[in-house]
Amino acid sequence: MKIRATVNTIRDLAVNYNRLGSTFYQDQDAKQLIISSLEKIHSGGYQEGGKEYGNWWNWEIGIPKSLNEVLILMGDEVPDDLKQKLIRATAYFQPDPMYSGVSEGAKYSTSKNVRVSTGGNRTDTSTVSLGRGLLTRDEGEVKRAIEAIYDVGELQNGIRDTNDATLNDGFYHDGSFIQHSSVAYSGTYASVLIEGLGLFAYMLKDSPSFQFSDPKIDNIYESILNGYKWLLVNGGMNDSVNGRAITRAKSSDVTRAQSFINSISLFMDGAPEKYKSDLQGLIKRTLLEQNYELKDAPNDTVRNILRNILEDDNIKPMQTVGVKRFPFMDRVVQKSDKGTVVIAMHSNRTAAYESMNGENLQGWYTGDGMTYVYDNQSTDSYTNYWHNVDPYMIPGTTESRDARKNSSGQRRYLKDRSSKTFVGGVDNGIKIDGSQGNADKAIIAMDFTSYNDKTTAKKSWVMLGDMVLALGSNITSEDQEEVITTIDNRVLNGQQTLTQSGDTVYFTDPATLQTISYKVLDNAEIKTLIEKGQDNSTEFAKIWVNHGKKPKDASYAYLIMPGYTADEVNRFDKATIQILKQNAQQDAVKVGNSLFVNFFEAGEVGNLSVDKPLSVIKIEENGRLDIYAADPTLLIEDEINLSVLGKYLLKEGNNVTSIILDDKTKFTFKLDDHQKYFSAVEESQETSEITQETINSNNTDDSPGNSTASTSQENSEDSSTVATNNIVDTNVETSENVVEDTSNNNEVAVEGVQESDSEEEQLIDQTSSEQIAFSQMYLDKYAKMLKNMTDVDISIIDNFNYDHYFTATLSESNKHGLGGRFQTGFNQSLNNHTKIGAFAEYRYNDINQLGLGANARWYDFSSFIRYRHVFDRSAHADYLDLYLGYDKTFTFNQLSIQPRVGVLGSYLLDNKLPDNGKLDNHFAVQTQLSSKFNYHIGGVALYVEPTWKVNLDDSYHLKLNGKEYELNRSRQEWIGKIGVTKNIGNYTFDFSVQTNNHQERKMIATFNYQF
């Protein structure tokens, strides 16, 4: 756009007009040229009421940012009337830092609608407002700019299915950065965002009136360290996160890294000390890798910051080694002392690539599994790459040779995205709580379908620390041309040589003897070719495998070995890598004691099986089992069952349960933030470590028979506790208990019974001391089921005064998630003091309950009898409930008090539990005492309601796998509840929050209709 280009030229001239030593320093002709050019910009259309022709960004961001810089640089040397006209023009085109597309002129642009400004654009709009506020000395506008820019520090939690191009934009907690809703843009848009933050931090750091400080900004420092230490490679910004900018003229991954370093330097200068040293180390590493020259710094401020970092011997270059997954932008990086591999994928969450404004017209396959492979020497691997590479042969991709149209198949928008969700993987850095730590192994998956859905493949990468195994399976195509897997398509820098020897191809640097090597592990024929690029000058070396036309179930397998010497490659033993499965269902590889599996479908590989699509690493060593699992789809919320061959006892894990069935162990768990880690030990090893006197509180004992179970001690608070002699909690008092073994009539001492602080359900194994079953998974399962079955709801009594009623309640609990209750019934008056009625109800909260009953009310006494059927997919129970209670309301002006006391009896008629479990018939008794305090004001009632429940019955008896257990319910429960009620005619609306002594918190919304 001509106006923007002119403004940028004026800005450069203004910089030189104010720079001591410049040819134009204080030159009056230069000054007049600046002023006359500004007049022409205004008269040429950049004015109040103007129209935004073409790209909106020029009018709302590009031009006003540069104009602000010119006006600040020139100060009073620009006539005041001209200055004010230009300031009003910027306020017309970009009036609010929170939004874009606000002006009347926006309807003529490429983006006509008003929308929230996000990501890098938000920092730009905020910068425009900041500059204008400083020029006009408008404190309100400066404050709005500061408040608006803080929002860019709000981390996103997950990709949303939306057509809104802004809702997904920004940084994610895994270090990803998304712009334009689906494009990985850490290298350009994020760099702009950080540049804007740096400008704010630098300009406001000494301000007596404004502070640039917000907890959200710390998120940006965290994201920089979490992401860019992986994405900055050999002095360049890896092009997998540079979007369409990869094809910009006179730019490369190195120049983009320089821009990023310039941007981060100002921002880093004001960083808290806990981040500053790491940021300095990252900057120093990148400067040294690219042989940065300080003369290339954009200004003296940045130059001085960078000089101080380079010259300070106490600042050490950051070292980064390991594997890093970016699930929210479908990127993966492996760094080692030998080299780096980066994988760029796409899924239903992310775009295949972006093409816009004539840029990246042929970036078709850059997100189809492209692999960037670096040794640790070269900084020019991608310097002259994108304008010259054959766009049909992108390293790591499997594509047909069918002709493509420019900018086709970007898959940026929701309606166009790939249908495939299984893209991502798992690494061995997952911690017990599901958070991410350092990893050095991973398996990555891409369920691939081409832009036209005619070519499909299952692609996997096993990342082994300093090499990567690339696998392709189930390669099938209906396209007309040949399908090829491009292993590499690399620029030869004039020194490298290409050598093929049998199943191995080397790129060798004679100066270092380092190679980038590829070793084929199957019988595929490798093809190589050296040819000129599109500029007819740059040499490219191509390596590929040809799968032929319309292949069905084709495959490939090759090792990527960056930084190895030719001798190391030749001596490498391929037998150390065992490919166990390579098909449409699973890719599985065994290396040493580690098994790597991508379960594209639920199934079994060797001695490992899962019931959900999952990526898994299983490591077995010296009787210890470590399991790392993750969901590449980011969609699984249900429980997962994972089974291994062998008898294992759970050692550590968060909300993981285990059960031994014959010669296998089944682990059941839910994922924490889409991933999970837990460990177990062989049953025989665990038994040998246990003595009568000393029991490790983190371990579980062995058990005879075909079925034993255990659970992690890190279970959530609503999990039941177990009273057996193998658990000692050093934080609670223990006591001796004597229970009767019902199988042999011997009395045995069971030591170390845990006194549960929260009085949750307990299960006591009634077998001999030689037969104590470590069935904690069962204990949790049945004890929790018992709680759900017997924690009976009596809220139906609140409806006994209505002739006809319907009540719907929704609740959200921190322990049980979403629950609901629906009640309907009628009541018939027999006289002034007596009513009888009938009701039906359905309740869901971890388990389903259906109830049918009859009720009566006489004076202030209420009673009901109810048949209740409790069920889920694997269990059911039938109860008969009988309730008798008394409640009365006392009113004092605006205050009313309703005390209530009641007794509830529940008789267990019949039941069927999982794994052939059976509870004996049982009569449970519970008393409840509560009082509701209502304060009525303006048609609304505010209330507080404390409740005390006490269970008076004896233990339940459970028969399970030939043994008997006692199930002890918690004796008492305290509940505190506050809420608000509003009556509108026959309708009542109630909202409340409550908590109890078991740390359960719940929000409850109730709607009642009386008719």
Side-chain angles (χ1 to χ4, degrees), residues 202-431:
Y202 181 75
M203 294 183 69
L204 300 174
K205 68 177 181 177
D206 296 322
S207 171
S209 304
F210 307 103
Q211 284 190 340
F212 185 66
S213 177
D214 189 274
K216 293 178 184 176
I217 300 302
D218 283 1
N219 291 336
I220 304 297
Y221 295 118
E222 296 275 6
S223 295
I224 291 170
L225 294 172
N226 194 20
Y228 291 98
K229 67 180 179 182
W230 301 97
L231 298 171
L232 288 164
V233 184
N234 289 2
M237 180 70 72
N238 176 258
D239 278 334
S240 72
V241 293
N242 290 328
R244 69 181 190 275
I246 60 176
T247 63
R248 285 178 185 162
K250 298 180 181 179
S251 72
S252 69
D253 60 331
V254 174
T255 62
R256 284 182 280 278
Q258 289 172 349
S259 295
F260 174 78
I261 293 301
N262 294 336
S263 298
I264 198 178
S265 60
L266 289 176
F267 188 46
M268 177 276 302
D269 197 46
E273 289 303 317
K274 62 180 178 178
Y275 302 118
K276 182 172 286 188
S277 61
D278 284 339
L279 291 169
Q280 291 171 331
L282 176 60
I283 291 173
K284 190 166 192 174
R285 183 189 81 187
T286 306
L287 294 175
L288 294 175
E289 286 175 343
Q290 62 183 220
N291 299 315
Y292 186 90
E293 295 187 27
L294 290 172
K295 66 180 180 61
D296 294 329
N299 54 61
D300 291 339
T301 302
V302 171
R303 186 176 296 108
N304 289 333
I305 292 172
L306 299 183
R307 178 184 289 110
N308 291 337
I309 291 174
L310 285 172
E311 294 178 353
D312 189 342
D313 292 337
N314 293 319
I315 297 175
K316 305 300 180 184
M318 176 182 284
Q319 302 298 316
T320 304
V321 174
V323 177
K324 169 65 177 176
R325 293 180 293 124
F326 295 91
F328 291 108
M329 63 181 184
D330 292 333
R331 301 295 189 262
V332 182
V333 183
Q334 175 180 283
K335 280 178 172 283
S336 76
D337 294 335
K338 291 182 177 294
T340 299
V341 177
V342 182
I343 304 169
M345 304 170 288
H346 76 276
S347 65
N348 72 326
R349 304 179 294 272
T350 53
Y353 75 105
E354 182 181 70
S355 176
M356 190 189 299
N357 301 332
E359 296 175 327
N360 202 27
L361 300 176
Q362 298 179 340
W364 307 309
Y365 303 136
T366 52
D368 286 7
M370 179 176 179
T371 52
Y372 298 79
V373 183
Y374 307 78
D375 60 20
N376 279 340
Q377 304 295 322
S378 175
T379 61
D380 59 359
S381 300
Y382 299 95
T383 299
N384 198 27
Y385 194 81
W386 295 107
H387 290 288
N388 296 297
V389 70
D390 179 352
Y392 291 92
M393 296 186 70
I394 297 299
T397 64
T398 301
E399 314 286 356
S400 80
R401 295 286 292 177
D402 279 22
R404 293 282 300 267
K405 294 181 179 179
N406 286 349
S407 303
S408 62
Q410 297 180 51
R411 290 185 159 168
R412 287 174 49 207
Y413 301 108
L414 185 62
K415 63 182 179 64
D416 302 319
R417 300 228 189 109
S418 170
S419 61
K420 303 299 184 181
T421 60
F422 199 89
V423 177
V426 65
D427 61 55
N428 67 341
I430 303 168
K431 298 180 180 180

Side-chain angles (χ1 to χ4, degrees), residues 18 101 163 323 479 571 592 758 812 971 1005:
N18 287 276
N163 282 311
V323 177
D479 273 324
R571 287 190 289 105
S758 62
E812 177 70 24
R971 283 298 176 189

Side-chain angles (χ1 to χ4, degrees), residues 331-602:
R331 301 295 189 262
V332 182
V333 183
Q334 175 180 283
K335 280 178 172 283
S336 76
D337 294 335
K338 291 182 177 294
T340 299
V341 177
V342 182
I343 304 169
M345 304 170 288
H346 76 276
S347 65
N348 72 326
R349 304 179 294 272
T350 53
Y353 75 105
E354 182 181 70
S355 176
M356 190 189 299
N357 301 332
E359 296 175 327
N360 202 27
L361 300 176
Q362 298 179 340
W364 307 309
Y365 303 136
T366 52
D368 286 7
M370 179 176 179
T371 52
Y372 298 79
V373 183
Y374 307 78
D375 60 20
N376 279 340
Q377 304 295 322
S378 175
T379 61
D380 59 359
S381 300
Y382 299 95
T383 299
N384 198 27
Y385 194 81
W386 295 107
H387 290 288
N388 296 297
V389 70
D390 179 352
Y392 291 92
M393 296 186 70
I394 297 299
T397 64
T398 301
E399 314 286 356
S400 80
R401 295 286 292 177
D402 279 22
R404 293 282 300 267
K405 294 181 179 179
N406 286 349
S407 303
S408 62
Q410 297 180 51
R411 290 185 159 168
R412 287 174 49 207
Y413 301 108
L414 185 62
K415 63 182 179 64
D416 302 319
R417 300 228 189 109
S418 170
S419 61
K420 303 299 184 181
T421 60
F422 199 89
V423 177
V426 65
D427 61 55
N428 67 341
I430 303 168
K431 298 180 180 180
I432 287 291
D433 61 0
S435 63
Q436 188 62 48
N438 298 324
D440 60 7
K441 299 176 183 177
I443 181 168
I444 307 302
M446 184 181 188
D447 189 358
F448 169 71
T449 182
S450 62
Y451 78 104
N452 59 4
D453 294 322
K454 291 185 177 181
T455 299
T456 58
K458 299 293 195 298
K459 300 172 77 72
S460 295
W461 295 266
V462 181
M463 314 193 89
L464 299 169
D466 56 10
M467 67 178 69
V468 176
L469 171 63
L471 294 177
S473 57
N474 195 226
I475 300 169
T476 303
S477 181
E478 295 300 323
D479 273 324
Q480 299 303 310
E481 298 298 326
E482 293 177 332
V483 173
I484 62 173
T485 294
T486 303
I487 296 175
D488 207 345
N489 192 356
R490 178 171 296 275
V491 173
L492 293 177
N493 60 17
Q495 296 179 336
Q496 289 176 323
T497 59
L498 176 65
T499 305
Q500 181 175 356
S501 175
D503 60 8
T504 307
V505 180
Y506 316 86
F507 293 98
T508 306
D509 187 334
T512 64
L513 298 181
Q514 274 196 332
T515 73
I516 290 176
S517 300
Y518 301 92
K519 183 179 284 289
V520 173
L521 301 188
D522 57 12
N523 296 320
E525 179 185 357
I526 306 175
K527 296 183 178 294
T528 63
L529 177 67
I530 296 177
E531 65 178 13
K532 301 291 185 183
Q534 296 183 36
D535 64 355
N536 225 8
S537 174
T538 306
E539 278 195 334
F540 282 80
K542 296 179 176 179
I543 312 171
W544 75 96
V545 174
N546 192 335
H547 304 293
K549 291 186 177 181
K550 296 192 174 182
K552 292 190 181 299
D553 204 28
S555 63
Y556 63 80
Y558 61 88
L559 279 171
I560 305 171
M561 306 175 73
Y564 280 72
T565 66
D567 184 55
E568 289 173 326
V569 175
N570 291 330
R571 287 190 289 105
F572 180 78
D573 183 4
K574 294 194 298 184
T576 59
I577 296 178
Q578 303 174 53
I579 300 174
L580 304 182
K581 278 199 177 183
Q582 194 177 359
N583 55 38
Q585 290 76 43
Q586 295 100 23
D587 282 343
V589 176
K590 192 170 190 301
V591 183
N593 57 12
S594 299
L595 176 65
F596 303 83
V597 187
N598 278 327
F599 288 96
F600 294 100
E601 299 176 6

Side-chain angles (χ1 to χ4, degrees), residues 202 345 504 513 554 588 597 625 673 684 694 696 836-837 888-889 962 979:
Y202 181 75
M345 304 170 288
T504 307
L513 298 181
V597 187
L625 174 71
D673 199 15
S684 57
T694 305
N696 187 306
I836 60 173
K888 186 176 180 65
T889 301

Side-chain angles (χ1 to χ4, degrees), residues 781-782 785 789 847-848 870-877 911-917:
K781 179 188 296 183
Y782 290 104
M785 184 179 299
M789 287 178 174
I847 200 165
N848 300 280
V870 183
F871 64 96
D872 65 13
R873 289 179 296 181
S874 59
H876 69 79
N911 65 95
K912 181 179 180 182
L913 304 179
D915 304 315
N916 298 314

